[in-house]
């Protein structure tokens, strides 16, 4: 089961806000895709939360875009920032990327107007399969929050 960002934010508004804030703290994040041979590829990426969607924009014919065209599964890791503080926790999103065709000029123009990416560009909206946040609470517990479509957030605490 997949869902877009708007549906996730409606189901879990506090968690979604925390995740968005975590991604907003830095510009560049890490995207993991799958190569032709199935091995992982990680690359830097800027993301946008816009009009109820989590968008992935990429340069034309970039390897990550070609990977997603072949196999849309991805993992997106928020930039952890400097040092080991991890303010806001460690956040990652898993899902599938759906490319917005050049023919969908309205969607692409709306994104381009807001983001002003270099032209041309690949544009993908995301369908979420999981959102995970890991953080330390009271210097005692490792807390893992996990959300999957159709389920409430599950919180695990470990000492």
């Amino acid at each position: 089961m997949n869902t877009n960002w708007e549906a996730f934010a409606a189901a879990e508004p506090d968690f979604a806000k925390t995740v968005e804030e975590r991604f907003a703290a830095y510009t560049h994040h890490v995207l993991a895709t799958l190569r032709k041979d199935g091995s992982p590829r990680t690359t830097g990426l800027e993301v946008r939360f816009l009009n109820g969607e989590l968008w992935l924009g990429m340069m034309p014919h970039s390897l990550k875009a070609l990977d997603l065209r072949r196999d849309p599964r991805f993992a997106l890791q928020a930039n952890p920032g400097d040092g080991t503080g991890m303010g806001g926790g460690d956040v990652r999103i898993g899902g599938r990327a759906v490319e917005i065709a050049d023919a969908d000029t309205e969607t692409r123009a709306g994104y381009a107007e807001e983001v002003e990416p270099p032209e041309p560009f690949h544009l993908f909206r995301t369908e979420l399969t999981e959102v995970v946040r890991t953080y330390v609470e009271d210097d005692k517990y490792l807390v893992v929050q996990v959300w999957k479509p159709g389920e409430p957030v599950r919180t695990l605490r470990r000492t």
Side-chain angles (χ1 to χ4, degrees):
M1 180 178 191
N2 299 324
T3 194
N4 72 353
W5 188 261
E6 182 175 47
F8 164 61
E12 297 292 343
D14 292 338
F15 192 27
K17 183 176 186 266
T18 298
V19 171
E20 282 191 51
E21 288 171 352
R22 188 67 190 82
F23 275 95
Y26 296 92
T27 302
H28 295 95
H29 307 286
V30 178
L31 177 72
T33 58
L34 296 170
R35 301 171 192 251
K36 284 182 195 177
D37 67 3
S39 64
R41 179 191 319 272
T42 59
T43 52
L45 180 76
E46 294 181 28
V47 302
R48 292 289 197 279
F49 296 89
L50 181 64
N51 300 325
E53 300 285 357
L54 168 57
W55 298 99
L56 311 176
M58 299 166 204
M59 292 173 37
H61 310 295
S62 66
L63 293 176
K64 58 192 160 199
L66 299 177
D67 286 348
L68 291 173
R69 281 181 159 177
R70 188 178 45 260
D71 185 329
R73 294 176 292 171
F74 73 88
L76 178 64
Q77 181 82 35
N79 185 326
D82 297 331
T84 59
M86 301 277 291
D90 181 50
V91 174
R92 72 179 184 276
I93 298 170
R96 300 174 71 78
V98 178
E99 188 166 16
I100 305 302
D102 290 342
D104 187 347
T105 56
E106 184 178 338
T107 300
R108 293 178 65 81
Y111 177 85
E113 183 178 314
E114 183 72 25
V115 178
E116 300 180 359
E119 297 276 350
F121 62 94
H122 292 286
L123 181 60
F124 297 85
R125 69 173 183 77
T126 59
E127 295 179 346
L128 311 179
T129 55
E130 74 171 0
V131 179
V132 179
R133 177 178 177 229
T134 305
Y135 62 98
V136 176
E137 181 178 83
D138 299 330
D139 291 327
K140 182 178 180 180
Y141 300 101
L142 179 67
V143 180
V144 181
Q145 294 175 292
V146 180
W147 173 86
K148 293 185 179 186
E151 300 176 15
V153 173
R154 209 169 21 114
T155 302
L156 310 162
R157 283 184 174 75
R158 298 180 187 146
T159 55

